[in-house]
Each structure stands twice: as C-alpha cells, then as structure tokens.
Amino acid sequence: MVAIQNSKSSSFVKQAAILAAASMFARFLGFLYRVPLTNMIGNEGNGIYSAGYYIYTFFLIMSSSGLPAAISLLVSKRLALGQYKNAHRVFKTALLVAGITGLIGSLILFFGAAFFARLINSPRSYYSLISLSPTIFIVAICSVFRGYFQGMNTTIPTAVSQVVEQIFNASFSFYLAYVLIKYGVEMGAAGGTLGTGIGALAGLLVIITTYALVRPQVLKRVKRDKSENQESTFSITKNIISVAIPIITGTAIFSITNLIDMKMVMSRLLSTGLYTVAQAEGLYGQLTGKYVVLSTLPVSIATALATAALPNIAAAVTLGDTDGVKRKLDTALRITMLICIPSAIGIGVLGNQILLLLFPRYPEGGILLQVGSISIIFLALSQIATGMLQGIGKYYASVMAALIGALIKIPLNYFLISIPSINVLGAVISTIACYVVASGLNLISLTRATQVVPDFFGIFIKPTFASLVMALGCFVSYSLIFMWTNSNSLGTIVAILVGGLVYVMFMILINGLQREDLLSIPMGRKIVALLDHYHLIRE
C-alpha cells in the first residue's frame, strides 16, 4: 500500500504538499459537521460541547502533542546515518512512552470528569468528558505511527489516516448527537464528542494496517543493520522527551489560556447576576461554536498550505543561504496572508449574514465575528512563525511569545467579560490582544534568528488593499441581491463569490500573486499553467 521512501530523490516538498492537502480536507470536514451539529444542539449545547472538548484537548496536548515531531526528527536522523535498528528502537520506545502517558491522561480524565466539570462551572459537560477520555490514549498511540512514517519521509499514511479519521468523526458525531439529543442537550453534546473517539480509532486502525503491510520491509532493513552503536531505551526516552517538551510547552500555554478563557467566561458572566448557567453556556457556545470555529478555519487552511513552502528553511539557515531563507520565509508568510487577510475582512463585513446562512435556527453572535475577525490575521501569523521558529530549533522563543500573549489576555478577560454591555465579547477582544502580541514577538524572533527582514509590502499591504476592494464588492453585491430577492442565503453566497473574484482580479492587477508562491502549494503547477495560458501571472 505504501512504499517506504528513504532515498535522496524523495521530494520533501511533495510529501509536505500531500500532508497539507489532507490536513485542509480534514479540517474542512471538521468545519462542515459543526454546522448541522450547532443547528441541532444550539448555542447552549455548543457551550457544553466546547467545555468538555477544551479539557480533553489540554490532556491530549500534555500526553502526546510533541510526539509526532520528536519521533519524526529522531527517526529521520538515524535513517540518514543508516542506523535502522536504532530508528526502529525509537519507534518501539515511543510506543511505550505514548502508551503510558496516554493511558494516564485517559484515566485522569475519566475518573476526574465530575471534578473538572465543576471546576469550569459547566457541570453538564460531565458526559462529554467521559466520552472523550478513551480518545487520549488512542490519539497518543496514533501519533507515534504518524511520527514514524513522517521520519521515513512518507506522509501518505498520516494523510490517509487523517482523512479517514475526520470522515468517521463527522459522521458519528452528527449521528450520535441526533440519537442522544432526546435525552437532553448535555447528552446531545456528549454524542458529538463521542464521534471524536470513533474517528480517532478509525484513523489508528488505518495507520496500523499500513504499518503491518510495510513491517516485513522494515524488519529486513533492521536485520541488515550491523552497526554496533545500539541506543538504550533510557537514552531514546530522554531524547524524545527533550525534543517534545518545548513543543508541548508552547502548545500547552495556549490550551491553558483556552481553559482560563472558559473558566473566566462562565464565572465572570455568572458573577454579574444577570445570567443563569444555561444562558452563560449559551454565550460561551456562541464564542466557541461560531467565532472560534469560523475564525480558525481559514487559519488552518492557510497554515496547512504554507507548511508545504517550509520544508527547506532549516537547511537554508544552516547553510547560511540568506537569499534562500528570505524567499522561503516570504513565500510562507505571503501564502498565509493571501488567504487570511481577505478571510478576516470578508467575515467582518458579512458576519451576521454568514451566521444566518449557516445557523438559521441559532444565528446569534454576529458581533463576535465583526469585532473578532481581525484575530484571524494575527493567529495565522503567530502559528506560521511558530512553525518556522521550531523548524530552525528556536523552540523557546515561541514559548515566551505565547506566555506573554496569555499574560496580557487574562486580565483583559477578567475586566471586560464582567461588563454587561460587553460580556462574552470581552474574550474576543482579549484574544485579539493576545495574538497581536504573540505574533509580533514571534516575527521579531524570526527576523533575529534568520537575519532576514520579510517583504512586508508584498505580504501585508497588497493583500490588504485587494481585500478592502473585495469588501466593497461584497457589501454592494449583497445589498443588491437582498434588495431584489429578500433572500439572505442567495445574497450571502453571491457576495462571497463576487468578493472572491474581485480579490483575485485585484491581486493579479497589482502583481500580488507570485509564481513561486503558487508552485509551493498543492496543485500549484496546474494553477500556474492556467494563469500562464491567459497571461495572468508574471515572474
């Protein structure tokens, strides 16, 4: 099914593009199922669902988030030296480490579900926490296989397992929520989270099957390895932990920030005496089920695409290739901003209309999108800069940026959420401040580390100019269609299509699309060929 690729002719960019395309598809599926799920369980159910999911995410991060990158790095280094026994020993040791940490995480979440539900002022999230607890162990084991295959320079097993995982997740989340909603909104939310575990199990079975098919080939290479340098389990475990901890730390900071967000939204809203627990969960559901879901979709797509442009940046830095570093850095940042700037402005202009289109039964929360859409730009910048810093070994620079951003967010949350006229919008405002600071610090660290100043005009100014023209096109087209048809759905869809067309046309007009950017993304050659045919792109 999958041939192990370990030759110098293997295209790392091609592998990254495969993973980026799969990640985009999986994330888009994840967004799609949240639309009917929200229409079924409502804002209140979304609040319960998200409360349980954020607790689960924290334990998941602590147990396995750094493993794929750590295993991939350790395996690839040993394979490059022809140390096949040690590479396989890394895999087996990582399975042991992941099994232990994943099992501990699952048990803590299962037996502590009632405690955590009370801790976050969302007692009805108890069933969601119970249903999510086995998933921590499943994902931890799956992360080892994914890291091992990526270390062998093949991303196909990871890509296939991600897609299968999300298909099962989307299908079962919606179905189980539909079945269980009759027992109460908290059970409907638990049904949605239960689908996450089923999806993870499906993904694990796919990647284990793939490994079983290539295992004979792996063991042949292990037997042929006559090197005497045999690493101990203790030494490998130490290496895995040393690489994984910085990654876990940076990710955990933002996860803890989300947990604090959840705790403070609930407690500060309830402290005003103006909201019941159900109403507070409803407002929190607007924040997480609408604002967070819609604002992170373009970010996940953009960073998945930009990842395909990053593979050689570490090598360019190591070789002192300043021009190469600048090209790759500019390409990754430009791809990210080409998507995220128009997404932010478009969502800001059409926030209410998009929510009414997607969630006709529960359209509340447009103000969160109108105010908070700008966070898309800074969240994307923070994530892509973090990826670059990790790629060149500057792990703790991004950790410090995340920590400082979180320290700014927390006091803003405390004061803003308790103001009745602001309420949950305070969490959105503090999120913007957090990511503005974190992204700025990450860019400064990246510039210092690489000694390269990005092309800010091409990365930010051109997409912003085209996006502002696009926003005018969206507003005018929506107004005209709605005036003629009185249909929000038709008006919103036409406005999005018109806006996209206007944006692309203006980017071409001001030479904002570059050949190297397009060639770095999945199906980029076909896009370039099409634009070349109509003479729409310049070097």
Side-chain angles (χ1 to χ4, degrees), residues 168-281:
F168 275 77
N169 181 10
S171 303
F172 279 93
S173 291
F174 179 75
Y175 173 72
L176 291 172
Y178 173 77
V179 170
L180 296 176
I181 190 69
K182 61 186 176 184
Y183 300 108
V185 68
E186 64 270 28
M187 294 303 295
T193 55
L194 190 57
T196 303
I198 294 173
L201 181 60
L204 176 61
L205 292 176
V206 167
I207 208 162
I208 286 177
T209 302
T210 305
Y211 174 74
L213 291 173
V214 301
R215 188 169 184 270
Q217 188 178 350
V218 170
L219 294 181
K220 278 184 182 178
R221 295 198 309 183
V222 169
K223 288 180 181 178
R224 287 200 300 264
D225 179 11
K226 303 300 181 182
S227 60
E228 297 181 0
N229 179 25
Q230 302 298 313
E231 296 179 84
S232 67
T233 300
F234 176 78
S235 173
I236 292 172
T237 302
K238 184 179 176 182
N239 286 333
I240 291 172
I241 292 173
S242 66
V243 176
I245 280 180
I247 300 172
I248 291 172
T249 304
T251 311
I253 288 172
F254 283 124
S255 177
I256 292 170
T257 303
N258 287 333
L259 292 177
I260 293 172
D261 221 6
M262 173 174 52
K263 171 74 173 177
M264 293 182 75
V265 166
M266 296 297 294
S267 63
R268 298 304 288 163
L269 287 176
L270 293 173
S271 71
T272 65
L274 300 175
Y275 305 97
T276 64
V277 171
Q279 288 171 331
E281 286 175 338

Side-chain angles (χ1 to χ4, degrees), residues 100-133:
I100 293 171
T101 58
L103 182 60
I104 291 172
S106 289
L107 292 174
I108 292 174
L109 187 59
F110 181 84
F111 289 107
F115 168 76
F116 292 119
R118 290 193 303 270
L119 182 67
I120 59 177
N121 295 323
S122 181
R124 291 190 294 174
S125 64
Y126 169 79
Y127 296 106
S128 293
L129 292 171
I130 290 290
S131 67
L132 282 166
S133 57

